[in-house]
Amino acid sequence: MPVRDEALGEIRLKIVFAGTQGAGKASALGSLHRLLGEGCSPMTLARTACDQTISFDYRPAQPLIVSGLRARFRFLTVPGRVHYRGIWQLALQGVDGLVFVADSTRARAGDSLAEMRLTFDALGRNGMSPGAVPTVIACNKRDLADTFSPGEMGQAFAALAPRAPLSETCALTGEGLLQALQQLSIAMGIVGRPAPKAATAAVDGALAQSVR
């Protein structure tokens, strides 16, 4: 849930990139950091005894005022192989929006389905209903040949996340990531406006709508 900091005049919102090992979570976060550019803090790597998290804050150069406070967004993921499943429960605490990065290759799509079940279990252990957490499914690795179609991916995930929109992405190039964030705002129940021409302005607009 949004965290208000009256002393700093900020409201902080948390967006987590989840997904199975090798799906492209860390690459997606790195590309998003590059695409957003100005307003991003440096990427931060935090280590535990077994695992690590990668995150950065995004404070739009043009202030977004939400409930009288300036918005700051925290983007976070748990990269690579997870040794302690509880790290995801910690990462998902207080999440405001979820980008589930699904490997859409035919060899790994089943792993992504299993990982979504584990992600939703972690949300449940945090006292959050998965259906109540705004979610978008980023069908990643669309640059590869042997992938399921978006329609096939939608059918596969329909039972777990029937209301989650899908976005075709390539984490390495960043293609589709800004659109995924715009879809996330729609998943939050906000009717999207026509996207401004500038990419960063498009993201600013989508995020601004998603937290009003």
Side-chain angles (χ1 to χ4, degrees):
M1 296 181 64
V3 177
R4 296 176 63 91
D5 189 328
E6 303 286 350
L8 292 178
E10 290 185 343
I11 184 167
R12 295 191 289 271
L13 299 107
K14 183 178 183 181
I15 298 176
V16 174
F17 279 58
T20 191
Q21 177 187 0
K25 306 181 298 294
S27 295
L29 207 66
S31 291
L32 183 62
H33 186 270
R34 171 178 53 81
L35 289 169
L36 292 177
E38 184 181 1
C40 291
S41 69
M43 298 276 283
T44 300
L45 177 66
R47 299 182 184 276
T48 66
C50 300
D51 297 295
Q52 57 189 4
T53 60
I54 299 175
S55 65
F56 69 89
D57 287 354
Y58 176 55
R59 195 180 191 213
Q62 182 177 351
L64 300 179
I65 305 302
V66 179
S67 301
L69 299 174
R70 182 171 182 174
R72 178 189 294 268
F73 300 90
R74 165 64 59 89
F75 293 94
L76 180 145
T77 193
V78 180
R81 181 181 179 183
V82 171
H83 297 85
Y84 170 58
R85 288 300 312 181
I87 188 67
W88 273 116
Q89 186 174 348
L90 292 173
L92 290 165
Q93 285 181 349
V95 65
D96 297 294
L98 181 67
V99 178
F100 188 86
V101 182
D103 190 328
S104 58
T105 61
R106 292 182 179 274
R108 296 294 309 280
D111 294 338
S112 290
L113 278 170
E115 185 66 27
M116 177 171 272
R117 294 187 184 94
L118 293 173
T119 299
F120 284 176
D121 286 346
L123 287 172
R125 289 194 296 273
N126 282 337
M128 306 176 74
S129 170
V133 178
T135 300
V136 63
I137 300 172
C139 297
N140 198 36
K141 302 188 180 181
R142 302 308 298 169
D143 55 320
L144 301 181
D146 193 20
T147 58
F148 285 111
S149 69
E152 289 172 322
M153 292 292 287
Q155 290 178 358
F157 282 91
L160 288 174
R163 294 190 299 274
L166 276 72
S167 180
E168 296 184 77
T169 63
C170 175
L172 293 178
T173 64
E175 183 178 356
L177 291 177
L178 298 183
Q179 290 84 348
L181 286 188
Q182 289 180 310
Q183 285 184 310
L184 185 60
S185 72
I186 296 172
M188 292 177 177
I190 306 299
V191 177
R193 295 178 298 184
K197 292 183 179 180
T200 301
V203 176
D204 289 355
L207 291 175
Q209 292 179 65
S210 69
V211 296
R212 283 178 184 164

